[in-house]
Amino acid sequence: MSMHPVVPKPGRDAPPPAPGKPSSGKARGNRRLLILALAVVLVIVGTITLAVVRSEPPTGAVVPTEPAVPAAPVAAAPPSLQDSVDSILSEADEYRIGLALADVSGGAERTFGDENTFTAASTAKILTAAAYYHLVENGQASLDEPMGDYDAAFQLEAMVNDSNNDSWLLLMDAVGHPQLTAYAASIGVAYDPEQNLLTAADMALILKKLYAGELLDKDNTEQLLSYMQDTNNEDLIPAGSRSGVDVHHKYGEVSGELHDAALLSYRGSTFALVIYTENPEGVPDDGQAEVIRDLTRAVEDALFPVGLTGK
């Protein structure tokens, strides 16, 4: 009788293969998967190592640091500004001083000191310029229009950049005094060119609306602002301003009054700052100029982050 070997059926009853001797293609496949997995791990480790090496600066290289000043715009002046301004005003109590501050992105103006009107002097030339540009945009006037010995464009630049009073008279006559009053009223300012009285808050509102593009179109706004830099007097707000702050301004001086009205821009924030001062003696003196610079420094310390270097 012949004997046939018993072939075990698949399942738990099947005997395991001898150790170290794989007996099927399945074992060989598992080994290939293990080798492939190890290769993938080695590739990943190598990639991470290379990235770390590349991220390290070479020997002696200077590692850049984060800027000291954040790029985000300033939201608003802190309450501490009140104490700083009050301290300066109390030390300069021989003068009548009004200060107004307005964020061009919105919000109400903040006022300090005297809130009454001052003789606006040449700061009001910005209002006259805006009124004439407004007529140009409405087709009622032209920048090429003859005016005095030159044209209107020349007179506008001379009035704002050089503070030329003859140019101012020519442009006010071209606009017309009643029309100038009406234009001022249309932007929320009470103004009579015969008296030339404004509060610091009035002037801050004019600058705020100008910079925000609420008065003139883009080209005329940029042109007028360009005349408000490198002017014939840079000794007031610009001299008190820090390096890195962009300043557009118009100063004014008459009898005992010395003023400056400016737009201060830094890293996406722009504020209108107007400082009106009056000396009861009837003649501007060096103390008024110094207090304007001191107030400018105090305002910028509060508005803009630390990290700017002084001029």
Side-chain angles (χ1 to χ4, degrees), residues 213-262:
E214 297 178 24
L215 302 186
L216 307 172
D217 66 25
K218 183 176 182 293
D219 290 342
N220 288 330
T221 298
E222 289 179 352
Q223 187 172 72
L224 179 51
L225 289 174
S226 74
Y227 298 156
M228 295 169 65
Q229 288 188 308
D230 300 320
T231 71
N232 64 317
N233 187 336
E234 298 289 291
D235 293 332
L236 302 175
I237 287 178
S241 181
R242 291 174 169 187
S243 177
V245 177
D246 196 21
V247 180
H248 300 81
H249 78 114
K250 183 71 195 79
Y251 93 104
E253 179 180 347
V254 62
S255 300
E257 311 211 24
L258 184 66
H259 315 318
D260 210 355

mmCIF file of all heavy atoms in Angstrom, residues 213-262:
data_model
loop_
_atom_site.group_PDB
_atom_site.id
_atom_site.type_symbol
_atom_site.label_atom_id
_atom_site.label_comp_id
_atom_site.label_asym_id
_atom_site.label_seq_id
_atom_site.Cartn_x
_atom_site.Cartn_y
_atom_site.Cartn_z
ATOM 1 N N GLY A 213 -8.422 112.750 0.066
ATOM 2 C CA GLY A 213 -8.966 112.817 -1.293
ATOM 3 C C GLY A 213 -10.418 113.250 -1.335
ATOM 4 O O GLY A 213 -11.091 113.035 -2.348
ATOM 5 N N GLU A 214 -10.894 113.876 -0.265
ATOM 6 C CA GLU A 214 -12.293 114.306 -0.217
ATOM 7 C C GLU A 214 -12.505 115.688 -0.822
ATOM 8 O O GLU A 214 -13.644 116.099 -1.035
ATOM 9 C CB GLU A 214 -12.792 114.292 1.231
ATOM 10 C CG GLU A 214 -12.798 112.914 1.869
ATOM 11 C CD GLU A 214 -13.254 112.951 3.315
ATOM 12 O OE1 GLU A 214 -13.973 113.904 3.685
ATOM 13 O OE2 GLU A 214 -12.878 112.047 4.087
ATOM 14 N N LEU A 215 -11.421 116.420 -1.083
ATOM 15 C CA LEU A 215 -11.553 117.764 -1.634
ATOM 16 C C LEU A 215 -11.289 117.804 -3.132
ATOM 17 O O LEU A 215 -12.020 118.464 -3.875
ATOM 18 C CB LEU A 215 -10.599 118.730 -0.915
ATOM 19 C CG LEU A 215 -10.755 118.875 0.596
ATOM 20 C CD1 LEU A 215 -9.832 119.971 1.119
ATOM 21 C CD2 LEU A 215 -12.202 119.179 0.974
ATOM 22 N N LEU A 216 -10.235 117.117 -3.563
ATOM 23 C CA LEU A 216 -9.780 117.227 -4.945
ATOM 24 C C LEU A 216 -9.519 115.849 -5.533
ATOM 25 O O LEU A 216 -9.439 114.853 -4.804
ATOM 26 C CB LEU A 216 -8.490 118.054 -5.003
ATOM 27 C CG LEU A 216 -8.535 119.441 -4.330
ATOM 28 C CD1 LEU A 216 -7.143 120.048 -4.290
ATOM 29 C CD2 LEU A 216 -9.527 120.351 -5.034
ATOM 30 N N ASP A 217 -9.363 115.814 -6.854
ATOM 31 C CA ASP A 217 -9.039 114.532 -7.475
ATOM 32 C C ASP A 217 -7.587 114.177 -7.172
ATOM 33 O O ASP A 217 -6.833 114.962 -6.586
ATOM 34 C CB ASP A 217 -9.322 114.556 -8.978
ATOM 35 C CG ASP A 217 -8.420 115.509 -9.775
ATOM 36 O OD1 ASP A 217 -7.288 115.807 -9.330
ATOM 37 O OD2 ASP A 217 -8.848 115.958 -10.855
ATOM 38 N N LYS A 218 -7.196 112.973 -7.567
ATOM 39 C CA LYS A 218 -5.885 112.441 -7.189
ATOM 40 C C LYS A 218 -4.734 113.325 -7.676
ATOM 41 O O LYS A 218 -3.813 113.639 -6.928
ATOM 42 C CB LYS A 218 -5.734 111.024 -7.742
ATOM 43 C CG LYS A 218 -4.435 110.321 -7.367
ATOM 44 C CD LYS A 218 -4.447 108.891 -7.880
ATOM 45 C CE LYS A 218 -3.168 108.150 -7.474
ATOM 46 N NZ LYS A 218 -1.974 108.695 -8.142
ATOM 47 N N ASP A 219 -4.777 113.740 -8.937
ATOM 48 C CA ASP A 219 -3.667 114.517 -9.492
ATOM 49 C C ASP A 219 -3.517 115.866 -8.802
ATOM 50 O O ASP A 219 -2.401 116.290 -8.469
ATOM 51 C CB ASP A 219 -3.861 114.718 -10.996
ATOM 52 C CG ASP A 219 -3.670 113.430 -11.779
ATOM 53 O OD1 ASP A 219 -3.071 112.482 -11.237
ATOM 54 O OD2 ASP A 219 -4.140 113.361 -12.941
ATOM 55 N N ASN A 220 -4.631 116.560 -8.603
ATOM 56 C CA ASN A 220 -4.557 117.876 -7.965
ATOM 57 C C ASN A 220 -4.184 117.762 -6.490
ATOM 58 O O ASN A 220 -3.477 118.621 -5.950
ATOM 59 C CB ASN A 220 -5.881 118.616 -8.129
ATOM 60 C CG ASN A 220 -6.099 119.076 -9.570
ATOM 61 O OD1 ASN A 220 -5.154 119.357 -10.288
ATOM 62 N ND2 ASN A 220 -7.349 119.128 -9.984
ATOM 63 N N THR A 221 -4.644 116.698 -5.838
ATOM 64 C CA THR A 221 -4.245 116.468 -4.444
ATOM 65 C C THR A 221 -2.737 116.273 -4.350
ATOM 66 O O THR A 221 -2.066 116.884 -3.511
ATOM 67 C CB THR A 221 -4.967 115.232 -3.870
ATOM 68 O OG1 THR A 221 -6.380 115.455 -3.862
ATOM 69 C CG2 THR A 221 -4.496 114.939 -2.452
ATOM 70 N N GLU A 222 -2.197 115.436 -5.218
ATOM 71 C CA GLU A 222 -0.761 115.169 -5.183
ATOM 72 C C GLU A 222 0.047 116.421 -5.506
ATOM 73 O O GLU A 222 1.105 116.666 -4.915
ATOM 74 C CB GLU A 222 -0.419 114.050 -6.163
ATOM 75 C CG GLU A 222 -0.926 112.676 -5.712
ATOM 76 C CD GLU A 222 -0.595 111.577 -6.697
ATOM 77 O OE1 GLU A 222 -0.100 111.903 -7.804
ATOM 78 O OE2 GLU A 222 -0.837 110.395 -6.377
ATOM 79 N N GLN A 223 -0.463 117.229 -6.450
ATOM 80 C CA GLN A 223 0.266 118.442 -6.808
ATOM 81 C C GLN A 223 0.289 119.431 -5.644
ATOM 82 O O GLN A 223 1.342 119.982 -5.305
ATOM 83 C CB GLN A 223 -0.353 119.102 -8.032
ATOM 84 C CG GLN A 223 0.448 120.285 -8.557
ATOM 85 C CD GLN A 223 -0.081 120.786 -9.882
ATOM 86 O OE1 GLN A 223 -1.147 121.388 -9.935
ATOM 87 N NE2 GLN A 223 0.653 120.526 -10.953
ATOM 88 N N LEU A 224 -0.854 119.625 -5.010
ATOM 89 C CA LEU A 224 -0.898 120.548 -3.883
ATOM 90 C C LEU A 224 -0.016 120.056 -2.739
ATOM 91 O O LEU A 224 0.724 120.833 -2.129
ATOM 92 C CB LEU A 224 -2.341 120.735 -3.418
ATOM 93 C CG LEU A 224 -2.574 121.653 -2.209
ATOM 94 C CD1 LEU A 224 -1.877 123.000 -2.399
ATOM 95 C CD2 LEU A 224 -4.068 121.849 -1.975
ATOM 96 N N LEU A 225 -0.069 118.767 -2.443
ATOM 97 C CA LEU A 225 0.780 118.223 -1.384
ATOM 98 C C LEU A 225 2.262 118.390 -1.705
ATOM 99 O O LEU A 225 3.083 118.620 -0.811
ATOM 100 C CB LEU A 225 0.455 116.747 -1.149
ATOM 101 C CG LEU A 225 -0.891 116.450 -0.481
ATOM 102 C CD1 LEU A 225 -1.135 114.938 -0.439
ATOM 103 C CD2 LEU A 225 -0.949 117.033 0.935
ATOM 104 N N SER A 226 2.612 118.279 -2.975
ATOM 105 C CA SER A 226 4.026 118.421 -3.349
ATOM 106 C C SER A 226 4.539 119.833 -3.062
ATOM 107 O O SER A 226 5.730 120.017 -2.769
ATOM 108 C CB SER A 226 4.224 118.081 -4.833
ATOM 109 O OG SER A 226 3.728 119.119 -5.674
ATOM 110 N N TYR A 227 3.646 120.827 -3.136
ATOM 111 C CA TYR A 227 4.050 122.203 -2.823
ATOM 112 C C TYR A 227 4.251 122.407 -1.327
ATOM 113 O O TYR A 227 4.828 123.412 -0.908
ATOM 114 C CB TYR A 227 2.987 123.195 -3.317
ATOM 115 C CG TYR A 227 2.767 123.198 -4.811
ATOM 116 C CD1 TYR A 227 1.555 123.643 -5.352
ATOM 117 C CD2 TYR A 227 3.758 122.769 -5.690
ATOM 118 C CE1 TYR A 227 1.343 123.663 -6.721
ATOM 119 C CE2 TYR A 227 3.546 122.776 -7.068
ATOM 120 C CZ TYR A 227 2.333 123.222 -7.577
ATOM 121 O OH TYR A 227 2.123 123.226 -8.940
ATOM 122 N N MET A 228 3.782 121.455 -0.516
ATOM 123 C CA MET A 228 3.844 121.576 0.941
ATOM 124 C C MET A 228 5.081 120.882 1.516
ATOM 125 O O MET A 228 5.134 120.577 2.713
ATOM 126 C CB MET A 228 2.562 121.007 1.561
ATOM 127 C CG MET A 228 1.318 121.798 1.182
ATOM 128 S SD MET A 228 -0.225 120.956 1.631
ATOM 129 C CE MET A 228 -0.111 120.959 3.425
ATOM 130 N N GLN A 229 6.072 120.646 0.688
ATOM 131 C CA GLN A 229 7.338 120.087 1.141
ATOM 132 C C GLN A 229 8.476 120.969 0.651
ATOM 133 O O GLN A 229 8.381 121.597 -0.402
ATOM 134 C CB GLN A 229 7.524 118.654 0.632
ATOM 135 C CG GLN A 229 6.609 117.646 1.321
ATOM 136 C CD GLN A 229 6.936 116.221 0.939
ATOM 137 O OE1 GLN A 229 7.024 115.886 -0.231
ATOM 138 N NE2 GLN A 229 7.115 115.364 1.938
ATOM 139 N N ASP A 230 9.564 121.004 1.426
ATOM 140 C CA ASP A 230 10.720 121.844 1.082
ATOM 141 C C ASP A 230 10.271 123.278 0.830
ATOM 142 O O ASP A 230 10.567 123.880 -0.206
ATOM 143 C CB ASP A 230 11.452 121.273 -0.140
ATOM 144 C CG ASP A 230 11.964 119.868 0.096
ATOM 145 O OD1 ASP A 230 12.456 119.605 1.208
ATOM 146 O OD2 ASP A 230 11.860 119.037 -0.823
ATOM 147 N N THR A 231 9.557 123.821 1.788
ATOM 148 C CA THR A 231 9.012 125.166 1.656
ATOM 149 C C THR A 231 10.028 126.222 2.092
ATOM 150 O O THR A 231 11.164 125.896 2.464
ATOM 151 C CB THR A 231 7.739 125.310 2.503
ATOM 152 O OG1 THR A 231 8.101 125.331 3.889
ATOM 153 C CG2 THR A 231 6.778 124.155 2.258
ATOM 154 N N ASN A 232 9.570 127.479 2.106
ATOM 155 C CA ASN A 232 10.481 128.567 2.482
ATOM 156 C C ASN A 232 10.697 128.660 3.990
ATOM 157 O O ASN A 232 11.492 129.471 4.457
ATOM 158 C CB ASN A 232 9.945 129.901 1.961
ATOM 159 C CG ASN A 232 8.611 130.271 2.600
ATOM 160 O OD1 ASN A 232 7.734 129.418 2.744
ATOM 161 N ND2 ASN A 232 8.435 131.540 2.950
ATOM 162 N N ASN A 233 9.988 127.814 4.781
ATOM 163 C CA ASN A 233 10.220 127.790 6.229
ATOM 164 C C ASN A 233 10.048 126.364 6.733
ATOM 165 O O ASN A 233 8.934 125.857 6.845
ATOM 166 C CB ASN A 233 9.230 128.719 6.947
ATOM 167 C CG ASN A 233 9.550 128.861 8.427
ATOM 168 O OD1 ASN A 233 10.191 127.994 9.041
ATOM 169 N ND2 ASN A 233 9.114 129.953 9.034
ATOM 170 N N GLU A 234 11.163 125.732 7.053
ATOM 171 C CA GLU A 234 11.157 124.364 7.560
ATOM 172 C C GLU A 234 11.584 124.302 9.025
ATOM 173 O O GLU A 234 12.016 123.258 9.507
ATOM 174 C CB GLU A 234 12.098 123.489 6.714
ATOM 175 C CG GLU A 234 11.706 123.377 5.249
ATOM 176 C CD GLU A 234 10.447 122.538 5.051
ATOM 177 O OE1 GLU A 234 10.495 121.328 5.269
ATOM 178 O OE2 GLU A 234 9.406 123.140 4.692
ATOM 179 N N ASP A 235 11.455 125.430 9.744
ATOM 180 C CA ASP A 235 11.988 125.526 11.103
ATOM 181 C C ASP A 235 10.974 125.206 12.196
ATOM 182 O O ASP A 235 11.320 125.263 13.379
ATOM 183 C CB ASP A 235 12.527 126.938 11.356
ATOM 184 C CG ASP A 235 13.742 127.251 10.508
ATOM 185 O OD1 ASP A 235 14.466 126.292 10.149
ATOM 186 O OD2 ASP A 235 13.958 128.435 10.197
ATOM 187 N N LEU A 236 9.736 124.870 11.832
ATOM 188 C CA LEU A 236 8.711 124.652 12.844
ATOM 189 C C LEU A 236 8.414 123.163 12.984
ATOM 190 O O LEU A 236 9.227 122.418 13.509
ATOM 191 C CB LEU A 236 7.477 125.490 12.503
ATOM 192 C CG LEU A 236 7.766 127.007 12.405
ATOM 193 C CD1 LEU A 236 6.540 127.763 11.946
ATOM 194 C CD2 LEU A 236 8.297 127.555 13.706
ATOM 195 N N ILE A 237 7.272 122.681 12.520
ATOM 196 C CA ILE A 237 6.960 121.250 12.659
ATOM 197 C C ILE A 237 8.015 120.359 11.990
ATOM 198 O O ILE A 237 8.443 119.361 12.583
ATOM 199 C CB ILE A 237 5.540 120.951 12.141
ATOM 200 C CG1 ILE A 237 4.503 121.502 13.136
ATOM 201 C CG2 ILE A 237 5.327 119.451 11.946
ATOM 202 C CD1 ILE A 237 3.056 121.308 12.727
ATOM 203 N N PRO A 238 8.469 120.668 10.771
ATOM 204 C CA PRO A 238 9.492 119.795 10.172
ATOM 205 C C PRO A 238 10.754 119.684 11.020
ATOM 206 O O PRO A 238 11.361 118.616 11.104
ATOM 207 C CB PRO A 238 9.780 120.470 8.824
ATOM 208 C CG PRO A 238 8.518 121.198 8.495
ATOM 209 C CD PRO A 238 8.018 121.712 9.817
ATOM 210 N N ALA A 239 11.143 120.761 11.670
ATOM 211 C CA ALA A 239 12.360 120.724 12.485
ATOM 212 C C ALA A 239 12.155 119.931 13.766
ATOM 213 O O ALA A 239 13.121 119.398 14.332
ATOM 214 C CB ALA A 239 12.803 122.146 12.832
ATOM 215 N N GLY A 240 10.920 119.822 14.232
ATOM 216 C CA GLY A 240 10.649 119.027 15.423
ATOM 217 C C GLY A 240 10.319 117.586 15.121
ATOM 218 O O GLY A 240 10.259 116.746 16.028
ATOM 219 N N SER A 241 10.100 117.283 13.849
ATOM 220 C CA SER A 241 9.708 115.931 13.444
ATOM 221 C C SER A 241 10.906 115.003 13.371
ATOM 222 O O SER A 241 12.039 115.423 13.112
ATOM 223 C CB SER A 241 9.013 115.990 12.083
ATOM 224 O OG SER A 241 8.611 114.713 11.665
ATOM 225 N N ARG A 242 10.656 113.723 13.594
ATOM 226 C CA ARG A 242 11.723 112.728 13.567
ATOM 227 C C ARG A 242 12.048 112.286 12.152
ATOM 228 O O ARG A 242 11.216 112.361 11.251
ATOM 229 C CB ARG A 242 11.290 111.499 14.366
ATOM 230 C CG ARG A 242 11.181 111.737 15.848
ATOM 231 C CD ARG A 242 10.604 110.519 16.508
ATOM 232 N NE ARG A 242 10.710 110.583 17.953
ATOM 233 C CZ ARG A 242 10.394 109.586 18.754
ATOM 234 N NH1 ARG A 242 9.939 108.453 18.255
ATOM 235 N NH2 ARG A 242 10.511 109.719 20.055
ATOM 236 N N SER A 243 13.247 111.777 11.980
ATOM 237 C CA SER A 243 13.647 111.186 10.710
ATOM 238 C C SER A 243 12.752 109.984 10.416
ATOM 239 O O SER A 243 12.445 109.191 11.304
ATOM 240 C CB SER A 243 15.105 110.745 10.774
ATOM 241 O OG SER A 243 15.488 110.101 9.582
ATOM 242 N N GLY A 244 12.316 109.878 9.171
ATOM 243 C CA GLY A 244 11.449 108.773 8.783
ATOM 244 C C GLY A 244 9.993 109.154 8.700
ATOM 245 O O GLY A 244 9.195 108.427 8.120
ATOM 246 N N VAL A 245 9.623 110.297 9.285
ATOM 247 C CA VAL A 245 8.253 110.789 9.194
ATOM 248 C C VAL A 245 8.162 111.737 8.011
ATOM 249 O O VAL A 245 8.952 112.675 7.884
ATOM 250 C CB VAL A 245 7.833 111.515 10.492
ATOM 251 C CG1 VAL A 245 6.425 112.084 10.352
ATOM 252 C CG2 VAL A 245 7.903 110.563 11.679
ATOM 253 N N ASP A 246 7.204 111.493 7.129
ATOM 254 C CA ASP A 246 7.005 112.329 5.951
ATOM 255 C C ASP A 246 6.125 113.513 6.345
ATOM 256 O O ASP A 246 5.020 113.325 6.864
ATOM 257 C CB ASP A 246 6.336 111.503 4.848
ATOM 258 C CG ASP A 246 6.451 112.163 3.488
ATOM 259 O OD1 ASP A 246 7.351 112.997 3.313
ATOM 260 O OD2 ASP A 246 5.630 111.846 2.611
ATOM 261 N N VAL A 247 6.609 114.740 6.100
ATOM 262 C CA VAL A 247 5.901 115.942 6.535
ATOM 263 C C VAL A 247 5.488 116.793 5.342
ATOM 264 O O VAL A 247 6.315 117.146 4.502
ATOM 265 C CB VAL A 247 6.779 116.792 7.483
ATOM 266 C CG1 VAL A 247 6.016 118.046 7.939
ATOM 267 C CG2 VAL A 247 7.231 115.977 8.677
ATOM 268 N N HIS A 248 4.181 117.113 5.266
ATOM 269 C CA HIS A 248 3.657 118.126 4.355
ATOM 270 C C HIS A 248 3.080 119.221 5.245
ATOM 271 O O HIS A 248 2.302 118.911 6.159
ATOM 272 C CB HIS A 248 2.552 117.560 3.460
ATOM 273 C CG HIS A 248 2.982 116.425 2.590
ATOM 274 N ND1 HIS A 248 3.065 115.122 3.063
ATOM 275 C CD2 HIS A 248 3.359 116.384 1.288
ATOM 276 C CE1 HIS A 248 3.466 114.340 2.069
ATOM 277 N NE2 HIS A 248 3.659 115.077 1.002
ATOM 278 N N HIS A 249 3.408 120.486 4.975
ATOM 279 C CA HIS A 249 2.948 121.499 5.925
ATOM 280 C C HIS A 249 2.827 122.875 5.275
ATOM 281 O O HIS A 249 3.305 123.125 4.164
ATOM 282 C CB HIS A 249 3.921 121.582 7.104
ATOM 283 C CG HIS A 249 5.170 122.357 6.790
ATOM 284 N ND1 HIS A 249 5.488 123.553 7.394
ATOM 285 C CD2 HIS A 249 6.164 122.105 5.899
ATOM 286 C CE1 HIS A 249 6.624 124.011 6.908
ATOM 287 N NE2 HIS A 249 7.068 123.147 6.002
ATOM 288 N N LYS A 250 2.165 123.770 6.013
ATOM 289 C CA LYS A 250 2.092 125.186 5.643
ATOM 290 C C LYS A 250 2.175 126.004 6.917
ATOM 291 O O LYS A 250 1.332 125.875 7.801
ATOM 292 C CB LYS A 250 0.783 125.493 4.898
ATOM 293 C CG LYS A 250 0.701 126.950 4.437
ATOM 294 C CD LYS A 250 1.680 127.193 3.299
ATOM 295 C CE LYS A 250 1.912 128.684 3.052
ATOM 296 N NZ LYS A 250 2.845 129.280 4.040
ATOM 297 N N TYR A 251 3.198 126.844 6.997
ATOM 298 C CA TYR A 251 3.348 127.690 8.184
ATOM 299 C C TYR A 251 2.644 129.024 7.939
ATOM 300 O O TYR A 251 2.297 129.387 6.808
ATOM 301 C CB TYR A 251 4.829 127.901 8.504
ATOM 302 C CG TYR A 251 5.416 129.156 7.895
ATOM 303 C CD1 TYR A 251 5.661 130.289 8.684
ATOM 304 C CD2 TYR A 251 5.703 129.234 6.540
ATOM 305 C CE1 TYR A 251 6.193 131.442 8.132
ATOM 306 C CE2 TYR A 251 6.236 130.381 5.983
ATOM 307 C CZ TYR A 251 6.464 131.496 6.776
ATOM 308 O OH TYR A 251 6.980 132.639 6.227
ATOM 309 N N GLY A 252 2.440 129.762 9.017
ATOM 310 C CA GLY A 252 1.853 131.093 8.906
ATOM 311 C C GLY A 252 2.414 131.999 9.987
ATOM 312 O O GLY A 252 2.698 131.550 11.103
ATOM 313 N N GLU A 253 2.565 133.280 9.658
ATOM 314 C CA GLU A 253 3.116 134.238 10.605
ATOM 315 C C GLU A 253 2.525 135.608 10.333
ATOM 316 O O GLU A 253 2.563 136.098 9.203
ATOM 317 C CB GLU A 253 4.640 134.288 10.487
ATOM 318 C CG GLU A 253 5.316 135.274 11.410
ATOM 319 C CD GLU A 253 6.825 135.287 11.247
ATOM 320 O OE1 GLU A 253 7.369 134.368 10.600
ATOM 321 O OE2 GLU A 253 7.457 136.222 11.777
ATOM 322 N N VAL A 254 1.969 136.230 11.358
ATOM 323 C CA VAL A 254 1.455 137.589 11.245
ATOM 324 C C VAL A 254 1.386 138.202 12.638
ATOM 325 O O VAL A 254 0.956 137.546 13.601
ATOM 326 C CB VAL A 254 0.073 137.622 10.560
ATOM 327 C CG1 VAL A 254 -0.970 136.849 11.350
ATOM 328 C CG2 VAL A 254 -0.389 139.052 10.318
ATOM 329 N N SER A 255 1.833 139.444 12.760
ATOM 330 C CA SER A 255 1.853 140.123 14.060
ATOM 331 C C SER A 255 2.479 139.207 15.104
ATOM 332 O O SER A 255 3.589 138.749 14.923
ATOM 333 C CB SER A 255 0.434 140.540 14.453
ATOM 334 O OG SER A 255 -0.096 141.430 13.474
ATOM 335 N N GLY A 256 1.750 138.900 16.185
ATOM 336 C CA GLY A 256 2.325 138.048 17.231
ATOM 337 C C GLY A 256 1.978 136.582 17.066
ATOM 338 O O GLY A 256 2.197 135.783 17.986
ATOM 339 N N GLU A 257 1.439 136.193 15.912
ATOM 340 C CA GLU A 257 0.993 134.808 15.719
ATOM 341 C C GLU A 257 1.972 134.035 14.842
ATOM 342 O O GLU A 257 2.451 134.521 13.822
ATOM 343 C CB GLU A 257 -0.404 134.792 15.096
ATOM 344 C CG GLU A 257 -1.359 135.719 15.850
ATOM 345 C CD GLU A 257 -2.793 135.265 15.826
ATOM 346 O OE1 GLU A 257 -3.053 134.070 15.646
ATOM 347 O OE2 GLU A 257 -3.662 136.135 16.015
ATOM 348 N N LEU A 258 2.277 132.826 15.292
ATOM 349 C CA LEU A 258 3.161 131.927 14.559
ATOM 350 C C LEU A 258 2.525 130.541 14.577
ATOM 351 O O LEU A 258 2.244 129.987 15.645
ATOM 352 C CB LEU A 258 4.545 131.874 15.205
ATOM 353 C CG LEU A 258 5.594 131.029 14.477
ATOM 354 C CD1 LEU A 258 5.928 131.653 13.119
ATOM 355 C CD2 LEU A 258 6.870 130.898 15.316
ATOM 356 N N HIS A 259 2.281 129.988 13.391
ATOM 357 C CA HIS A 259 1.537 128.737 13.279
ATOM 358 C C HIS A 259 2.244 127.765 12.344
ATOM 359 O O HIS A 259 3.044 128.162 11.492
ATOM 360 C CB HIS A 259 0.131 128.967 12.692
ATOM 361 C CG HIS A 259 -0.618 130.124 13.274
ATOM 362 N ND1 HIS A 259 -0.628 130.416 14.616
ATOM 363 C CD2 HIS A 259 -1.418 131.064 12.679
ATOM 364 C CE1 HIS A 259 -1.398 131.469 14.834
ATOM 365 N NE2 HIS A 259 -1.872 131.884 13.676
ATOM 366 N N ASP A 260 1.878 126.520 12.478
ATOM 367 C CA ASP A 260 2.230 125.518 11.466
ATOM 368 C C ASP A 260 1.125 124.475 11.423
ATOM 369 O O ASP A 260 0.573 124.087 12.467
ATOM 370 C CB ASP A 260 3.576 124.853 11.755
ATOM 371 C CG ASP A 260 4.296 124.416 10.480
ATOM 372 O OD1 ASP A 260 3.701 124.545 9.378
ATOM 373 O OD2 ASP A 260 5.448 123.948 10.572
ATOM 374 N N ALA A 261 0.803 124.047 10.210
ATOM 375 C CA ALA A 261 -0.259 123.058 9.983
ATOM 376 C C ALA A 261 0.319 121.982 9.083
ATOM 377 O O ALA A 261 0.760 122.267 7.975
ATOM 378 C CB ALA A 261 -1.470 123.722 9.323
ATOM 379 N N ALA A 262 0.333 120.741 9.565
ATOM 380 C CA ALA A 262 1.074 119.694 8.866
ATOM 381 C C ALA A 262 0.311 118.383 8.790
ATOM 382 O O ALA A 262 -0.599 118.112 9.576
ATOM 383 C CB ALA A 262 2.417 119.459 9.556
#
